[in-house]
Amino acid sequence: MRPEEELSVEVEGAGGRAQRLGAEGGALVLSEGGARLRCWPLHAVRLKPEPGGALLLEAGGEVLTLGCAPDARAALLALAAPGAPSDAALAALLEDAEPDEADAERRVRRLAERLARLDALNVAGMLAAATEGGGARLAERLDAGGAAGAALSARLARLEALTRAAPAALHARSGAARADAAARALLAELGELYAWLDHPALADLDALGEVSLGSAEGRARALAAAEALSGALEAGERAGEARLRLGAVRERLRRLARARDALAAALARHLNNALVHLGNEATAGAARPGAHHAELAPYAPFARWLRRGDARAHAALLRVYCAAWARVHERAVRAWAERARAELAAGPPERAAEPLDAVLADAEALLDAEQDFCVRFFALDEERGAARRLAGELFPALEAELAALVAAAERRDAYGAMRALAVAGRRALGGDEAEGERWARAALAAVAVAAKRGADRAVAERLAAMPDAVRAAARRPKCGVLSFIPELEEMSAVCEDIFARGRRADLDRWYLSLGTGALRTVQQATHPRTPRAVLLMENCHRLHACVSALRVPALEPLRREARARYAEALRQYVTQQFGRPLEKLATFFEGVGEAVAAGVREDEVCFRAAYSKHELRRVLALYPAPEVRRALHRLYRTVDKHLSDEGGLLQVVWRAMQEEFIAQHVALQARIAACYPGAGLALPLSTQDILDAFSDIAREH
C-alpha cells in the first residue's frame, strides 16, 4: 500500500478546533469529527513550514494555517515534496498535452522523458527521506516508487493502444484539437465541393458550345464534359440544403446548367446535320441501306446523353432519322418485291416460295440491323414500346409490300399461300425466344398471318366447290370418284413436301376440314345412272385410302368412319345386285325350313307331297349348269356397267359376289343332305365349279 494512503495526522485548525489531515487515494483530505471539510488533489497542494511550528497549506486558491506536532509536520512536508510521484501527479502528467502534439509517437517519447525525470526526483526524495527517517522510510519510498512506475507503465501501454485505435482521441480535450478538427472538416468539405462543381473536364465552360465533333479528340473532350455536367447537375439535385444555401454553389450550378444547354444544342445540331447528310446520300443511291450505321456509331454516346439531358432534342433527332431513312427503306423493299414478282411470273409454280424466301431473308437482315442500331444509338432499350413504334415509322411500306407479294404467290399457284405460310412460319418461329421482341419476327409473323389467311381461303374455296363437283359428275355416264377426292390426294402430296420441315398444325386442320367435308358431300350425293351404293362405295373407299396414307392421328376418326361407310355400301350393293341366283330353289328350301320349324323332322320332310324328292328333282332341273353360268355372265356385265375404272373395285365386288354365292350354295347343299339323305340329289354346280366359273368370267372380261 502507498504511504499517502496510510498517512493521517492531527492538526489544529482555525479557532483551535481539532481536525485531521490525511492522504486518501491521491487526494489530501481535511476532516473534523468524521466529516470531510476539504479535499484537494495531492499534486495541487503546496505545504510550507511557518515559524512557531505551524504549517501553511495552499490549494485551489485557498490558504490555511494549521498547527501540528513536529513529526506530523515533517511527514506532511515529505508527502507534498516534489519527488513523490503520486497517482494524481502521474494522471496530471498524462493529461498534460501540448496542443501541437499531433504525432502520438512524439508524445510517447515526451512522456518517457518525463518518466525519467520523475524517477530522478523519486530517487532524490528517497535520499531526503533517508536522511530524516532512516532506512525504514527509504524502503517504504522505494516500494511506493516501484508501484508508481508500474502504474505509469500500464498507463503508457493503454495510451499506445488508444493511439493505434483512434489517433485523434489524444486531442479530444483540447480546444486547439477541436479547432484543428474543424479546419480539417472544412478542408474536406471544400475538397468535395471542388470535386463536385469544378471537374477538370469543365475547365473551359464557355467553349463547350463550340467544341468540334469531327475528330476523335474533340468527341472525347465533348463526351467527358457532357458526363461531368450531367454528374454535377444530378448531384446538385441530391445535395443537402446547407450546401445549396451557399451563393457560390447556386451560381456555379446555374452556370453549369447554361453550359449543359449550350452543349446539348451543339450536339443536336451536329447530329441533325449528320443524319440529314447521310440520308440524302442514301436516297441518291450513293450508299447501300445500313451503311450509315458505322458512320453514326461514334456519336451513340452523345445521343444517349441527349436522351437524358434534353428529351425534346432527342425526340427531334428520332423524327429526323425516321423521315430520312423511311424513304430509303421503302425504296429498297419495293425493289426487292418487284424482283420477286418478276421471278414468280417467270418461274415454275412449284418454286414460287424461293423468291418470297429471298425477300424475307433480305428484310429480316435489314430489320435486325436497323433495330440493333436504333436501340443502341437512341437508347430505346430504356423505354418499352418505343422500339415497336419506331419500326412502323422506319418501314411504313414493308408489311403492305410483303402482303402483296404473298397475294401474288397465291394467284400464281393453287398452293402459293401454303408455300408462303411454310416459308414465313419457319423464319418467324426459328429465332431465339431469349432475344426478346424483334422487328423482324413481328414482320415475319404478319406475313405468316397473311399467308395463313390466304391458305384458309383456298381451303374454304375447295369446300365450297364440292357440290359443284357432284353436279359435274351427274353429266357423266358413270359417277365414278368425285373430283374433290383426287384433289385432296394431290393436295396432301404437295403439302406434305411443303411442310416437311415446318409447323404442320394448320395442315392437319385443313386435312380434317376437307376430309370431313368430302365425306359429308359423298353421303348427300346422287347420280342418275349409278346406284347410290356404288357411289358411296367407290368414293368412301378412295377417301379411306387417302386418309390412311397420311397417317395423321387427328384423322383417325374420319378414317374409321370412311371405312365403315365403304363396307356398308359394298354389302348393300352385293345384296341388291346378286340377290338369289337360284330363286326357285331357294323358295323351295324356304318352305322346307318352315316345315322343320313347325315340328317336322328333317328326315321326314321328303314324305310331304310339296317337298318330296320328285318335286326337288323337278326344281333342280330348272337350273342346269350352263344356265347358271349365263346368269353369272349377265351379273358381271351389270356390275361392270355400274362401276368406274378410277374406282378400281370391279374385282373386289366380283369377289364379294363369289363369296355370297358360295355361302348360299353351301347352305342349300347342307339342307339337301339333311332332309334328303341317300336320295342322290345335288345342286347343279359344285363349290369348285362355282369358283372356276367366277374365275373364267373375270378372265374373259
Side-chain angles (χ1 to χ4, degrees), residues 66-250:
L66 302 175
C68 59
D71 293 340
R73 184 177 65 174
L76 289 174
L77 289 173
L79 178 65
S86 64
D87 288 345
L90 292 174
L93 178 63
L94 291 175
E95 293 180 358
D96 184 17
E98 296 295 335
D100 58 349
E101 288 185 20
D103 190 347
E105 294 185 0
R106 186 169 57 190
R107 179 149 188 247
V108 171
R109 290 195 300 270
R110 188 167 173 270
L111 288 174
E113 294 173 358
R114 290 194 176 190
L115 179 59
R117 291 200 299 272
L118 284 174
D119 288 339
L121 292 174
N122 190 26
V123 172
M126 287 189 293
L127 291 175
T131 59
E132 295 180 1
R137 294 189 65 182
L138 177 60
E140 292 176 0
R141 290 300 178 93
L142 286 175
D143 292 340
L152 183 59
S153 298
R155 294 193 181 204
L156 284 173
R158 290 198 298 272
L159 177 62
E160 291 177 356
L162 178 63
T163 301
R164 290 192 298 271
L170 295 175
H171 302 283
R173 301 181 185 179
S174 170
R178 288 192 295 272
D180 179 71
R184 292 177 183 275
L186 177 60
L187 183 61
E189 179 70 14
L190 291 175
E192 292 180 3
L193 287 176
Y194 273 95
W196 166 27
L197 299 173
D198 197 21
H199 192 278
L202 305 178
D204 192 3
L205 287 179
D206 297 332
L208 287 181
E210 301 175 359
V211 65
S212 174
L213 299 178
S215 63
E217 181 181 357
R219 289 193 295 269
R221 177 168 169 252
L223 182 59
E227 296 296 340
L229 284 171
S230 297
L233 293 174
E234 290 172 3
E237 297 175 358
R238 302 188 300 269
E241 185 178 355
R243 288 185 174 182
L244 295 178
R245 284 201 298 266
L246 297 174
V249 171
R250 293 197 301 272

Side-chain angles (χ1 to χ4, degrees), residues 266-502:
L267 291 176
R269 185 168 55 253
H270 184 88
L271 290 177
N272 182 81
N273 294 338
L275 292 177
V276 171
H277 173 69
L278 293 174
N280 291 337
E281 284 187 350
T283 303
R288 61 179 179 82
H292 62 290
H293 296 165
E295 298 187 35
L296 291 175
Y299 301 100
F302 299 106
R304 285 181 172 267
W305 183 82
L306 279 176
R307 190 183 186 282
R308 299 193 306 268
D310 193 341
R312 288 198 297 179
H314 183 269
L317 286 177
L318 266 177
R319 290 193 296 271
V320 170
Y321 183 81
C322 291
W325 292 98
R327 296 189 299 270
V328 177
H329 296 326
E330 181 177 3
R331 186 183 63 184
V333 170
R334 284 180 176 169
W336 295 340
E338 290 175 2
R339 182 191 64 197
R341 280 191 286 269
E343 293 178 0
L344 276 174
E350 59 270 14
R351 304 190 65 177
E354 294 180 4
L356 177 61
D357 193 20
V359 172
L360 293 181
D362 293 338
E364 184 177 8
L366 179 59
L367 285 166
D368 285 341
E370 197 65 42
Q371 181 180 7
D372 293 340
F373 170 76
C374 290
V375 170
R376 183 176 61 254
F377 189 83
F378 293 106
L380 300 181
D381 51 346
E382 301 176 8
E383 180 182 352
R384 295 182 60 86
R388 187 186 311 113
R389 184 173 63 254
L390 186 62
E393 296 176 3
L394 276 173
F395 299 92
L398 177 63
E399 186 172 344
E401 288 293 337
L402 293 179
L405 190 57
V406 170
E410 185 178 355
R411 292 190 299 270
R412 180 68 178 86
D413 180 21
Y415 306 102
M418 298 173 184
R419 299 181 195 277
L421 175 59
V423 169
R426 279 195 298 269
R427 289 191 172 275
L429 299 177
D432 187 3
E433 294 293 336
E435 294 181 357
E437 185 176 354
R438 302 292 297 177
W439 296 356
R441 180 173 295 180
L444 293 171
V447 175
V449 169
K452 181 177 179 298
R453 289 173 180 169
D456 289 341
R457 187 165 50 249
V459 171
E461 292 173 356
R462 287 173 180 264
L463 287 171
M466 287 181 179
D468 297 336
V470 175
R471 287 190 289 271
R475 294 191 291 269
R476 299 198 299 263
K478 297 180 182 180
C479 177
V481 178
L482 297 173
S483 60
F484 51 77
I485 295 181
E487 291 174 359
L488 178 60
E489 293 173 344
E490 177 189 354
M491 173 186 165
S492 65
V494 174
C495 289
E496 286 296 322
D497 181 63
I498 293 175
F499 293 93
R501 296 179 292 116

